[in-house]
């Protein structure tokens, strides 16, 4: 199995479809590399499924200094020069807008013409600062809706649901793509179809959902493989109905990689005849096209994967971590179930959920229903 980190040639291979394309001024194409960057842990909410407080509810909240933030940008730029990529930052927290140097960072990214998405809360958004974000190059602003009103406010805090919906319109008015993300668990799985209707009604530009990753205190999402497949089927039906509705502006991002399995089963995805054996074309991005940087400088292969620390951005070169420590997350032959599946190169489920459930990154996805001893055998 060819791993992206084995050689620089593999890393810069444009045949890997999980990268984002962009057009250079001279007209040639290159690709983005995604850095999920947590600049602070300060937040107005204490969400029940938040990573920050899952292991330590009384932890000290960390935040980078302005000097440290500039070093992160330099390190990321060096990485991208080495591997022929362009940096794309997903700026988050906590709520990143609460960082005292948030606007300094925005101006720096504007100066360097580095595009970015903000993953944050609705509470401090105004027409004025959204306009400023747009001017600085903000591409998307992602908010969360984790249930219908009662459930969402229970997860997050009273009033959060209504304010989130209100701010979607303001984000779009500023010319920024308004994204809604839902974290699915047994608590809200029955409400996801209703959430879809709500975000469409409120004209979110993009909607997606991902599964809750169990923590040390809770070792299950509480959702069976069959229940999850039924959810995908119900959502797929809604998505297709809305696609034919001219009043619907929402794009539905099938983010969870088990969508590939479902779409393969119903005939919406076919294995390309040109696919080469031993190549990875899609699926889980961990170790392939993104890394996470925490406020402490710790670098994770994926924020959703517990204990996936591979280094520290203030002590290590990201370009070195990518071909050394991150390689531990690219041994596709180790996947206990996925390695036997014909969709290995396009799916692999969610190793973060597997790690949270079983303590093993390469364990089987607990919501995967594929029969790898039967019709899905490679």
């Amino acid at each position: 199995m060819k791993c992206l980190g084995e050689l620089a040639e593999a890393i810069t291979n444009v045949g890997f479809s999980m990268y984002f394309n962009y057009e250079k001024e001279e007209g040639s194409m290159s690709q983005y590399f995604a850095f999920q960057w947590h600049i602070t842990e300060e937040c107005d909410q204490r969400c029940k499924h938040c990573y920050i407080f899952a292991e330590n509810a009384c932890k000290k909240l960390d935040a980078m200094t302005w000097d440290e933030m500039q070093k992160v940008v330099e390190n990321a730029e060096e990485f991208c020069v080495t591997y022929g990529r362009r940096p794309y930052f997903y700026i988050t927290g906590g709520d990143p807008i609460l960082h005292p140097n948030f606007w300094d960072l925005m101006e720096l990214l504007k100066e360097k013409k580095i595009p970015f998405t903000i993953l944050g809360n609705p509470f401090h958004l105004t027409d004025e600062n959204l306009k400023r974000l747009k001017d600085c190059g903000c591409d998307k602003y992602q908010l969360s809706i984790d249930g219908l009103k009662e459930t969402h406010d229970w997860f997050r805090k009273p009033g959060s649901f209504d304010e989130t919906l209100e701010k979607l319109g303001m984000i779009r008015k500023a010319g920024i793509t308004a994204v809604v993300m839902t974290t699915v668990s047994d608590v809200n799985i029955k409400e996801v179809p209703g959430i879809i209707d709500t975000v469409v009604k409120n004209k979110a530009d993009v909607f997606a959902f991902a599964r809750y990753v169990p923590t040390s205190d809770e070792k299950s999402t509480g959702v069976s493989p069959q229940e999850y497949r039924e959810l995908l089927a119900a959502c797929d039906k809604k998505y297709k109905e809305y696609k034919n509705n001219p009043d619907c502006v929402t794009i539905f991002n099938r983010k969870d990689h088990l969508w590939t399995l479902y779409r393969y089963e119903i005939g919406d995805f076919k294995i390309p005849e040109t696919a080469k054996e031993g190549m990875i074309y899609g699926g889980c991005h961990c170790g392939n096209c993104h890394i996470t940087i925490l406020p402490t400088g710790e670098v994770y292969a994926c924020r959703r994967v517990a204990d996936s620390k591979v280094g520290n951005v203030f002590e290590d070169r990201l370009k070195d971590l990518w071909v050394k420590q991150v390689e531990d997350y690219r041994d596709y032959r180790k996947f206990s179930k996925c390695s036997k599946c014909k969709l290995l190169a396009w799916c692999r489920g969610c190793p973060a959920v597997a790690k949270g459930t079983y303590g093993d990154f390469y364990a089987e996805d607990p919501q995967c229903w594929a029969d790898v001893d039967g019709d899905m055998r490679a």
Side-chain angles (χ1 to χ4, degrees), residues 141-244:
Y141 201 107
Q142 179 177 301
L143 297 173
S144 295
I145 295 180
D146 291 319
L148 299 178
K149 183 173 181 177
E150 182 178 353
T151 302
H152 174 91
D153 285 355
W154 174 79
F155 268 121
R156 293 179 175 269
K157 75 174 187 178
S160 174
F161 182 82
D162 289 338
E163 186 149 5
T164 298
L165 295 181
E166 176 189 348
K167 296 303 171 65
L168 289 176
M170 293 172 61
I171 294 168
R172 297 187 74 238
K173 179 182 175 183
I176 299 171
T177 299
V179 181
V180 171
M181 171 63 70
T182 295
T183 300
V184 177
S185 69
D186 60 332
V187 176
N188 64 1
I189 188 168
K190 301 296 185 185
E191 298 183 18
V192 175
I195 296 172
I196 294 171
D197 292 335
T198 299
V199 299
V200 169
K201 180 180 178 181
N202 286 273
K203 299 187 181 302
D205 292 301
V206 181
F207 172 75
F209 60 81
R211 283 169 284 159
Y212 168 69
V213 175
T215 67
S216 61
D217 296 324
E218 185 177 15
K219 288 299 182 185
S220 174
T221 60
V223 178
S224 71
Q226 185 57 34
E227 286 175 317
Y228 197 64
R229 190 188 185 285
E230 290 171 358
L231 171 67
L232 297 188
C235 292
D236 188 52
K237 181 181 178 182
K238 272 194 172 290
Y239 292 173
K240 289 173 178 175
E241 289 172 351
Y242 276 123
K243 184 178 180 180
N244 294 322

Side-chain angles (χ1 to χ4, degrees), residues 92-309:
T92 186
D95 189 354
I97 203 168
L98 296 177
H99 193 290
N101 296 109
F102 175 78
W103 291 109
D104 295 319
L105 177 60
M106 297 299 99
E107 293 295 335
L108 177 63
L109 298 181
K110 176 183 177 181
E111 176 187 336
K112 292 179 174 290
K113 298 181 180 179
I114 298 175
F116 60 92
T117 287
I118 301 294
L119 317 179
N121 292 333
F123 310 113
H124 300 281
L125 297 182
T126 65
D127 287 330
E128 182 179 355
N129 60 27
L130 283 167
K131 181 179 178 181
R132 187 176 177 186
L133 276 174
K134 176 64 176 178
D135 180 65
C136 289
C138 183
D139 182 32
K140 297 183 287 289
Y141 201 107
Q142 179 177 301
L143 297 173
S144 295
I145 295 180
D146 291 319
L148 299 178
K149 183 173 181 177
E150 182 178 353
T151 302
H152 174 91
D153 285 355
W154 174 79
F155 268 121
R156 293 179 175 269
K157 75 174 187 178
S160 174
F161 182 82
D162 289 338
E163 186 149 5
T164 298
L165 295 181
E166 176 189 348
K167 296 303 171 65
L168 289 176
M170 293 172 61
I171 294 168
R172 297 187 74 238
K173 179 182 175 183
I176 299 171
T177 299
V179 181
V180 171
M181 171 63 70
T182 295
T183 300
V184 177
S185 69
D186 60 332
V187 176
N188 64 1
I189 188 168
K190 301 296 185 185
E191 298 183 18
V192 175
I195 296 172
I196 294 171
D197 292 335
T198 299
V199 299
V200 169
K201 180 180 178 181
N202 286 273
K203 299 187 181 302
D205 292 301
V206 181
F207 172 75
F209 60 81
R211 283 169 284 159
Y212 168 69
V213 175
T215 67
S216 61
D217 296 324
E218 185 177 15
K219 288 299 182 185
S220 174
T221 60
V223 178
S224 71
Q226 185 57 34
E227 286 175 317
Y228 197 64
R229 190 188 185 285
E230 290 171 358
L231 171 67
L232 297 188
C235 292
D236 188 52
K237 181 181 178 182
K238 272 194 172 290
Y239 292 173
K240 289 173 178 175
E241 289 172 351
Y242 276 123
K243 184 178 180 180
N244 294 322
N245 183 344
D247 295 326
C248 176
V249 301
T250 306
I251 295 172
F252 302 104
N253 181 354
R254 292 170 171 83
K255 178 181 174 67
D256 192 315
H257 301 298
L258 288 181
W259 272 112
T260 304
L261 171 60
Y262 175 79
R263 294 180 68 238
Y264 178 81
E265 289 183 340
I266 66 172
D268 284 359
F269 171 78
K270 298 184 186 300
I271 296 175
E273 294 181 1
T274 56
K276 297 179 181 179
E277 185 176 354
M279 295 290 283
I280 295 297
Y281 291 96
C284 173
H285 291 176
C286 183
N288 287 341
C289 61
H290 83 152
I291 52 178
T292 298
I293 302 167
L294 300 188
T296 56
E298 292 177 312
V299 179
Y300 274 48
C302 174
R303 182 64 184 97
R304 287 164 56 85
V305 178
D307 305 320
S308 65
K309 179 183 175 181

